[in-house]
Amino acid sequence: MPLPRTRGTALRQQLAELRGPDVPAKALDARALAALAANPGCRRRAILDGAGVNKATLASALGSPSAFGQSQFALTRGNAFEAKVKADGGAELLRLVHEKLDRHAEPPVDARVPDLTAIGPEGRTARTALALREATEAYGAWTLLDHPMLALDVAGSPAFLEPDAVVVHPDGGWTVVEIKSFPMLDGSADPAKVGAAARQAAVYVLALEEVAARITVADVPAPEVGHQVLLVCPKDFSNLPTASAVDVRKQRAVTRRQLARLTRIQDIADALPEGTCFDPARPAEELTSAVESVPATYAPECLSACELAFHCRDRSRAAGAVTSLGRSVRAELGALTTVPDVLAAARGEAGDAADPTVAALRRAATLRAEALGAAACR
Amino acid sequence: MSLISTLARLEAVSTGRAQPAATVRHRHLAGRPLVFVPLTTAGEAGAPLGALVGTDRDAPRLLVVPQPRDRDLRFQFLAELADVVLPYVDSYAEAVEAAERNETDPETGKRVKVEVELCADAPQLIVPSRAGIDFVRLLGRSMRFRRTAEQDPEAPHPAPPRVPLLGRWLTHFGERARVPGSALLLAATELLSRHWATGQSTLEDQHLGALLAWIDPPAGMTGAEAAHAAELARDAKGQLLHPPAGPATDPAFDNKLLAPALERYDRARTALAAAEDGLEADERLGELTAAERAIRDLVESRTRPTWDAVWRGLDLLRELPEGARVEERWTRDRWSFTSHRDRITAGEPPQPRRDDAVTAANKLATREREQARLEAQEALDDPLVMAGRRLSGEAFAGEVTDVVMTYSEGKRPSPRPLVTLRTDDRPHLGERVKVYRSLGGKPQSAEFVGHDGDGVVLRILDKMGRGKEPEPGSVPEKGDRLCFTLFEHEQRGGAKLPDPENTPWTHGGPPGEAPHEAADPLTAEDVL
Ligand code: SF4
């Protein structure tokens, strides 16, 4: 039993210990959050993210480095495009917001672009909240918040998020703007990429709603956070910006539900053995057992979402887990969760023939063998 | 995934080798396919970095864009690509055979048979992966609206002469690839994973190297080990030993090798431009050539392994006998090729950016119909696929235990034999459900009459000739092993959609004047 401590600071202390002395916390970004929400059952990921552990460094220390990396070409182009969209006080960006989302409002001229610099993420979050409040009070004016900072409570600890931009409309409504460098070709972009952007934007919408609920503006109705976000992309093969409104209601609802489902980090932390530490400077063996002490739910989707994927995949495969072949495979096999179990049941060496899954497996095995036999003697 | 393919995957895990997911080859493979292994520049839309292309596995043509942001160099690449692809495509446009097609006579409005040409064979493009197919489509889109100097003498950056034509062809290949069972443009990963089940997930099967590693692991290694190495093994400098099949490159390659090489090239170009005399220029030209050579080597080093892998995959696929109905689907591809050839010869404009309502609906209907056709044909061609349909209750096989002759009532009684089939399968049969079996390649239909113990009683309905007595061989006999399906074997043409000029207003109305598709506007920092 840990000693009773004051809750908030105690947890923070506990998480710092998990991260290791002198290891700075890695902030959660919206991308990580959206991915976290995509696999809400994974306690391993929840505690590592919650404690601000740098999972990429950890993966390397474990001997299974992650394969995520960004090409400097993509980075350069992405930055150049964002700068172009935001040039001239965001004139082009505001024009697109006006055109796609708020045609009835006055066209934006001389929009306010408040300075949001402050010290530390808490400071920037406070500065952003203040700027949002002022902008909402400045009825009739357009305001562009360039890289604001928002806080969102994730499983009991705060995550700081930095959207590309938030626009406050003359009527006081707020809109999230996402600037991406994949092209919108003949009016439509790669649906997978749009989906990822929408999930990210949904996280920002949730965070903004928390801010909106906190600030009260005298004589002005509570600010409304748009469920349509603006996705700005290069048009066709050029680098001229074009935009489209993306409805993120669904993603917002899903993410909210998933975030609520995340096991409280406190509970996971409390269940860890005394002295657990994820400091990448520790020997690989110690790290491995620290990581293994938190249950994980690996599935192939992790490969594109989590830095620890290769480590967890090796473990999952070594354990013969059928989920390593895909969630749908797992769903098909009922109570049988390992490869040897399934094969034994299919061969009639184990399992109860009255179990419908077992019966179906045997039937499948027979039909498969018959077909292969027929093909072999052709 | 059906339980049968799941089992195959699990067996692959436990044996360390991919297991068959098909017993015949379900796609046509051309005798002389054109393999295309492109690389693209990260972050740019359709800015190629280079490619290997050709029909000779020992002598691919290497095409490189030494500075992908330079429009002229990209045009040069596309022109060279056109020099390889278009002669290949053209070589199939000449040889034709006579064929018949139903057409609506414009004057009488009646359906009449007309004699038309059908190309005797068609070109086939093979790319490494699904992403390669998207890239072909993207390249097609980026080129087909370009204007050449001949078309538009005022065009500020005219495209080389054959580039727009290449764009139209690549667009056609890309569109055709959306049709299930088509084979004009295929991805090696999809071909291989259709025919083998690996011990990894379908997501991981998209990696050509890992997929091949499971199907044909090097001696002394399991598929899992070989796949792991193919995916992740890096050299001392952090470069992947097996580069990804593209078109995207590995970020470590971009940052550590490509970026410095491009910088060197840019520097050499600037230096050459600033050369003050001939001697200096010669020297600097030497450096520029060397810098370009270095980039070519880099591109070749990243594409050659994939090139070899694609051909190895084709070898493996050729070992499988071709399914009986594959040829029939290839004929549809030949029709598709022939009609695009005709549209180009007739001087029709390039495919529009967006389809009008009728074209879009037609394409969708075609895809649905071809999907149904493909599913039926694959099952009929391959007992392993049929096994999956039997497991799901959509087909059943067994031995004929009894045949009783009965006749239809009416003036001219026809044979309606009752056949009892003993089967262990559990088909979803309702009263009078129609079922089909293949009789000499044609479907013979029967209807479900009832169960008799573990036998299924069926009444045979057709394909027995016109007489009172059935033609010999047309009625099953006791002891025959038969397989009946609940799905139809042949697909009728889809629902008839109105001709474009009769499009209802709810669907956008008739197309007006065919919209003139303007070229993409050019901007100063334009990337393509
Ligand atoms: S890779 Fe591991 S830690 Fe990450 S989400 Fe998947 S199971 Fe959890």
Side-chain angles (χ1 to χ4, degrees), chain B residues 228-257:
Chain B
H228 195 271
E231 264 184 320
L232 298 173
R234 288 182 185 265
D235 65 13
K237 293 200 191 96
Q239 295 299 320
L240 284 170
L241 292 181
H242 307 268
T249 46
D250 180 37
F253 166 76
D254 284 7
N255 299 344
K256 296 218 185 86
L257 300 179

mmCIF file of all heavy atoms in Angstrom, chain B residues 228-257:
data_model
loop_
_atom_site.group_PDB
_atom_site.id
_atom_site.type_symbol
_atom_site.label_atom_id
_atom_site.label_comp_id
_atom_site.label_asym_id
_atom_site.label_seq_id
_atom_site.Cartn_x
_atom_site.Cartn_y
_atom_site.Cartn_z
ATOM 1 N N HIS B 228 10.758 -10.639 -40.565
ATOM 2 C CA HIS B 228 11.249 -9.665 -39.585
ATOM 3 C C HIS B 228 12.467 -8.944 -40.141
ATOM 4 O O HIS B 228 12.583 -7.714 -40.062
ATOM 5 C CB HIS B 228 11.592 -10.409 -38.288
ATOM 6 C CG HIS B 228 11.751 -9.513 -37.110
ATOM 7 N ND1 HIS B 228 12.945 -8.943 -36.775
ATOM 8 C CD2 HIS B 228 10.854 -9.076 -36.192
ATOM 9 C CE1 HIS B 228 12.790 -8.188 -35.699
ATOM 10 N NE2 HIS B 228 11.520 -8.255 -35.324
ATOM 11 N N ALA B 229 13.380 -9.716 -40.734
ATOM 12 C CA ALA B 229 14.583 -9.118 -41.308
ATOM 13 C C ALA B 229 14.216 -8.202 -42.478
ATOM 14 O O ALA B 229 14.756 -7.101 -42.604
ATOM 15 C CB ALA B 229 15.540 -10.209 -41.767
ATOM 16 N N ALA B 230 13.295 -8.652 -43.309
ATOM 17 C CA ALA B 230 12.929 -7.850 -44.475
ATOM 18 C C ALA B 230 12.323 -6.516 -44.046
ATOM 19 O O ALA B 230 12.545 -5.490 -44.670
ATOM 20 C CB ALA B 230 11.934 -8.612 -45.346
ATOM 21 N N GLU B 231 11.581 -6.545 -42.964
ATOM 22 C CA GLU B 231 10.926 -5.319 -42.510
ATOM 23 C C GLU B 231 11.889 -4.373 -41.816
ATOM 24 O O GLU B 231 11.819 -3.167 -41.999
ATOM 25 C CB GLU B 231 9.873 -5.687 -41.456
ATOM 26 C CG GLU B 231 8.483 -5.854 -41.930
ATOM 27 C CD GLU B 231 7.565 -6.114 -40.744
ATOM 28 O OE1 GLU B 231 7.965 -6.858 -39.822
ATOM 29 O OE2 GLU B 231 6.461 -5.579 -40.753
ATOM 30 N N LEU B 232 12.749 -4.910 -40.963
ATOM 31 C CA LEU B 232 13.421 -4.049 -39.995
ATOM 32 C C LEU B 232 14.940 -4.008 -40.040
ATOM 33 O O LEU B 232 15.537 -3.077 -39.509
ATOM 34 C CB LEU B 232 13.000 -4.467 -38.577
ATOM 35 C CG LEU B 232 11.508 -4.315 -38.282
ATOM 36 C CD1 LEU B 232 11.181 -4.923 -36.935
ATOM 37 C CD2 LEU B 232 11.133 -2.846 -38.297
ATOM 38 N N ALA B 233 15.577 -5.025 -40.652
ATOM 39 C CA ALA B 233 17.035 -5.065 -40.543
ATOM 40 C C ALA B 233 17.680 -3.830 -41.168
ATOM 41 O O ALA B 233 17.322 -3.423 -42.271
ATOM 42 C CB ALA B 233 17.559 -6.329 -41.216
ATOM 43 N N ARG B 234 18.597 -3.226 -40.441
ATOM 44 C CA ARG B 234 19.297 -2.034 -40.935
ATOM 45 C C ARG B 234 20.809 -2.246 -40.884
ATOM 46 O O ARG B 234 21.299 -3.038 -40.067
ATOM 47 C CB ARG B 234 18.936 -0.817 -40.068
ATOM 48 C CG ARG B 234 17.521 -0.353 -40.296
ATOM 49 C CD ARG B 234 17.153 0.867 -39.480
ATOM 50 N NE ARG B 234 15.737 1.164 -39.682
ATOM 51 C CZ ARG B 234 15.280 2.034 -40.579
ATOM 52 N NH1 ARG B 234 16.108 2.714 -41.349
ATOM 53 N NH2 ARG B 234 13.975 2.231 -40.704
ATOM 54 N N ASP B 235 21.522 -1.530 -41.730
ATOM 55 C CA ASP B 235 22.980 -1.651 -41.706
ATOM 56 C C ASP B 235 23.547 -0.728 -40.625
ATOM 57 O O ASP B 235 22.807 -0.052 -39.913
ATOM 58 C CB ASP B 235 23.565 -1.363 -43.088
ATOM 59 C CG ASP B 235 23.328 0.075 -43.528
ATOM 60 O OD1 ASP B 235 22.937 0.900 -42.673
ATOM 61 O OD2 ASP B 235 23.513 0.378 -44.718
ATOM 62 N N ALA B 236 24.868 -0.702 -40.541
ATOM 63 C CA ALA B 236 25.506 0.071 -39.482
ATOM 64 C C ALA B 236 25.159 1.551 -39.582
ATOM 65 O O ALA B 236 25.156 2.274 -38.594
ATOM 66 C CB ALA B 236 27.013 -0.136 -39.557
ATOM 67 N N LYS B 237 24.849 2.017 -40.788
ATOM 68 C CA LYS B 237 24.545 3.440 -40.953
ATOM 69 C C LYS B 237 23.066 3.732 -40.753
ATOM 70 O O LYS B 237 22.587 4.829 -41.040
ATOM 71 C CB LYS B 237 24.979 3.896 -42.346
ATOM 72 C CG LYS B 237 26.490 3.874 -42.519
ATOM 73 C CD LYS B 237 26.869 4.771 -43.692
ATOM 74 C CE LYS B 237 28.326 4.597 -44.091
ATOM 75 N NZ LYS B 237 28.504 3.657 -45.208
ATOM 76 N N GLY B 238 22.315 2.726 -40.355
ATOM 77 C CA GLY B 238 20.893 2.970 -40.082
ATOM 78 C C GLY B 238 20.000 2.852 -41.297
ATOM 79 O O GLY B 238 18.832 3.246 -41.250
ATOM 80 N N GLN B 239 20.540 2.332 -42.408
ATOM 81 C CA GLN B 239 19.708 2.183 -43.606
ATOM 82 C C GLN B 239 19.082 0.792 -43.650
ATOM 83 O O GLN B 239 19.725 -0.194 -43.294
ATOM 84 C CB GLN B 239 20.543 2.398 -44.873
ATOM 85 C CG GLN B 239 21.074 3.809 -45.005
ATOM 86 C CD GLN B 239 19.970 4.848 -45.076
ATOM 87 O OE1 GLN B 239 18.940 4.634 -45.716
ATOM 88 N NE2 GLN B 239 20.166 5.977 -44.419
ATOM 89 N N LEU B 240 17.843 0.743 -44.091
ATOM 90 C CA LEU B 240 17.159 -0.542 -44.208
ATOM 91 C C LEU B 240 17.896 -1.426 -45.205
ATOM 92 O O LEU B 240 18.277 -0.977 -46.281
ATOM 93 C CB LEU B 240 15.727 -0.339 -44.693
ATOM 94 C CG LEU B 240 14.722 0.189 -43.666
ATOM 95 C CD1 LEU B 240 13.424 0.570 -44.359
ATOM 96 C CD2 LEU B 240 14.462 -0.846 -42.584
ATOM 97 N N LEU B 241 18.104 -2.700 -44.831
ATOM 98 C CA LEU B 241 18.761 -3.618 -45.766
ATOM 99 C C LEU B 241 17.833 -3.949 -46.929
ATOM 100 O O LEU B 241 18.267 -4.205 -48.039
ATOM 101 C CB LEU B 241 19.168 -4.897 -45.038
ATOM 102 C CG LEU B 241 20.275 -4.729 -43.995
ATOM 103 C CD1 LEU B 241 20.603 -6.069 -43.362
ATOM 104 C CD2 LEU B 241 21.534 -4.139 -44.638
ATOM 105 N N HIS B 242 16.529 -3.968 -46.642
ATOM 106 C CA HIS B 242 15.549 -4.220 -47.700
ATOM 107 C C HIS B 242 14.677 -2.981 -47.821
ATOM 108 O O HIS B 242 13.737 -2.822 -47.050
ATOM 109 C CB HIS B 242 14.687 -5.439 -47.355
ATOM 110 C CG HIS B 242 15.498 -6.649 -47.029
ATOM 111 N ND1 HIS B 242 15.852 -7.587 -47.971
ATOM 112 C CD2 HIS B 242 16.062 -7.065 -45.870
ATOM 113 C CE1 HIS B 242 16.586 -8.528 -47.394
ATOM 114 N NE2 HIS B 242 16.726 -8.237 -46.125
ATOM 115 N N PRO B 243 14.998 -2.106 -48.748
ATOM 116 C CA PRO B 243 14.248 -0.850 -48.835
ATOM 117 C C PRO B 243 12.769 -1.117 -49.102
ATOM 118 O O PRO B 243 12.418 -2.120 -49.717
ATOM 119 C CB PRO B 243 14.901 -0.121 -50.015
ATOM 120 C CG PRO B 243 15.690 -1.145 -50.747
ATOM 121 C CD PRO B 243 16.030 -2.219 -49.788
ATOM 122 N N PRO B 244 11.898 -0.215 -48.614
ATOM 123 C CA PRO B 244 10.466 -0.406 -48.850
ATOM 124 C C PRO B 244 10.149 -0.379 -50.339
ATOM 125 O O PRO B 244 10.889 0.219 -51.126
ATOM 126 C CB PRO B 244 9.816 0.765 -48.130
ATOM 127 C CG PRO B 244 10.907 1.770 -47.922
ATOM 128 C CD PRO B 244 12.184 1.006 -47.879
ATOM 129 N N ALA B 245 9.047 -1.041 -50.711
ATOM 130 C CA ALA B 245 8.711 -1.179 -52.124
ATOM 131 C C ALA B 245 8.209 0.118 -52.737
ATOM 132 O O ALA B 245 7.970 0.181 -53.929
ATOM 133 C CB ALA B 245 7.681 -2.286 -52.299
ATOM 134 N N GLY B 246 8.069 1.142 -51.927
ATOM 135 C CA GLY B 246 7.707 2.437 -52.476
ATOM 136 C C GLY B 246 6.231 2.576 -52.779
ATOM 137 O O GLY B 246 5.463 1.687 -52.446
ATOM 138 N N PRO B 247 5.817 3.657 -53.430
ATOM 139 C CA PRO B 247 6.701 4.716 -53.918
ATOM 140 C C PRO B 247 7.331 5.568 -52.820
ATOM 141 O O PRO B 247 8.286 6.280 -53.084
ATOM 142 C CB PRO B 247 5.779 5.561 -54.809
ATOM 143 C CG PRO B 247 4.398 5.238 -54.396
ATOM 144 C CD PRO B 247 4.409 3.862 -53.833
ATOM 145 N N ALA B 248 6.825 5.483 -51.579
ATOM 146 C CA ALA B 248 7.438 6.286 -50.520
ATOM 147 C C ALA B 248 8.776 5.671 -50.124
ATOM 148 O O ALA B 248 8.927 4.454 -50.115
ATOM 149 C CB ALA B 248 6.512 6.342 -49.312
ATOM 150 N N THR B 249 9.735 6.513 -49.790
ATOM 151 C CA THR B 249 11.048 6.032 -49.378
ATOM 152 C C THR B 249 11.127 6.054 -47.857
ATOM 153 O O THR B 249 10.302 6.665 -47.187
ATOM 154 C CB THR B 249 12.144 6.939 -49.962
ATOM 155 O OG1 THR B 249 11.748 8.290 -49.750
ATOM 156 C CG2 THR B 249 12.316 6.695 -51.444
ATOM 157 N N ASP B 250 12.138 5.414 -47.315
ATOM 158 C CA ASP B 250 12.340 5.409 -45.875
ATOM 159 C C ASP B 250 12.878 6.776 -45.447
ATOM 160 O O ASP B 250 13.810 7.290 -46.070
ATOM 161 C CB ASP B 250 13.342 4.294 -45.548
ATOM 162 C CG ASP B 250 13.629 4.205 -44.053
ATOM 163 O OD1 ASP B 250 12.684 4.403 -43.269
ATOM 164 O OD2 ASP B 250 14.786 3.944 -43.680
ATOM 165 N N PRO B 251 12.315 7.377 -44.394
ATOM 166 C CA PRO B 251 12.802 8.692 -43.954
ATOM 167 C C PRO B 251 14.307 8.704 -43.687
ATOM 168 O O PRO B 251 14.978 9.698 -43.975
ATOM 169 C CB PRO B 251 12.016 8.961 -42.669
ATOM 170 C CG PRO B 251 10.767 8.160 -42.801
ATOM 171 C CD PRO B 251 11.121 6.958 -43.618
ATOM 172 N N ALA B 252 14.842 7.608 -43.167
ATOM 173 C CA ALA B 252 16.293 7.583 -42.894
ATOM 174 C C ALA B 252 17.083 7.706 -44.196
ATOM 175 O O ALA B 252 18.147 8.321 -44.236
ATOM 176 C CB ALA B 252 16.672 6.302 -42.168
ATOM 177 N N PHE B 253 16.543 7.148 -45.255
ATOM 178 C CA PHE B 253 17.192 7.274 -46.567
ATOM 179 C C PHE B 253 17.107 8.733 -47.026
ATOM 180 O O PHE B 253 18.102 9.327 -47.457
ATOM 181 C CB PHE B 253 16.506 6.343 -47.566
ATOM 182 C CG PHE B 253 16.842 6.615 -49.010
ATOM 183 C CD1 PHE B 253 18.064 6.231 -49.533
ATOM 184 C CD2 PHE B 253 15.927 7.256 -49.835
ATOM 185 C CE1 PHE B 253 18.384 6.478 -50.866
ATOM 186 C CE2 PHE B 253 16.242 7.514 -51.170
ATOM 187 C CZ PHE B 253 17.472 7.126 -51.681
ATOM 188 N N ASP B 254 15.927 9.324 -46.920
ATOM 189 C CA ASP B 254 15.749 10.720 -47.317
ATOM 190 C C ASP B 254 16.734 11.628 -46.593
ATOM 191 O O ASP B 254 17.415 12.449 -47.201
ATOM 192 C CB ASP B 254 14.328 11.198 -46.983
ATOM 193 C CG ASP B 254 13.315 10.661 -47.976
ATOM 194 O OD1 ASP B 254 13.692 9.828 -48.812
ATOM 195 O OD2 ASP B 254 12.147 11.091 -47.911
ATOM 196 N N ASN B 255 16.777 11.478 -45.265
ATOM 197 C CA ASN B 255 17.529 12.432 -44.460
ATOM 198 C C ASN B 255 19.033 12.218 -44.543
ATOM 199 O O ASN B 255 19.791 13.176 -44.600
ATOM 200 C CB ASN B 255 17.065 12.365 -43.000
ATOM 201 C CG ASN B 255 15.590 12.729 -42.871
ATOM 202 O OD1 ASN B 255 15.011 13.302 -43.795
ATOM 203 N ND2 ASN B 255 14.986 12.389 -41.758
ATOM 204 N N LYS B 256 19.457 10.954 -44.550
ATOM 205 C CA LYS B 256 20.904 10.718 -44.466
ATOM 206 C C LYS B 256 21.573 10.604 -45.836
ATOM 207 O O LYS B 256 22.726 10.948 -45.979
ATOM 208 C CB LYS B 256 21.177 9.441 -43.669
ATOM 209 C CG LYS B 256 20.719 9.572 -42.224
ATOM 210 C CD LYS B 256 21.713 8.877 -41.284
ATOM 211 C CE LYS B 256 21.214 8.903 -39.848
ATOM 212 N NZ LYS B 256 20.326 7.759 -39.572
ATOM 213 N N LEU B 257 20.871 10.078 -46.833
ATOM 214 C CA LEU B 257 21.532 9.855 -48.124
ATOM 215 C C LEU B 257 21.022 10.778 -49.221
ATOM 216 O O LEU B 257 21.795 11.411 -49.929
ATOM 217 C CB LEU B 257 21.351 8.383 -48.558
ATOM 218 C CG LEU B 257 21.921 7.323 -47.612
ATOM 219 C CD1 LEU B 257 21.647 5.924 -48.150
ATOM 220 C CD2 LEU B 257 23.422 7.519 -47.434
#
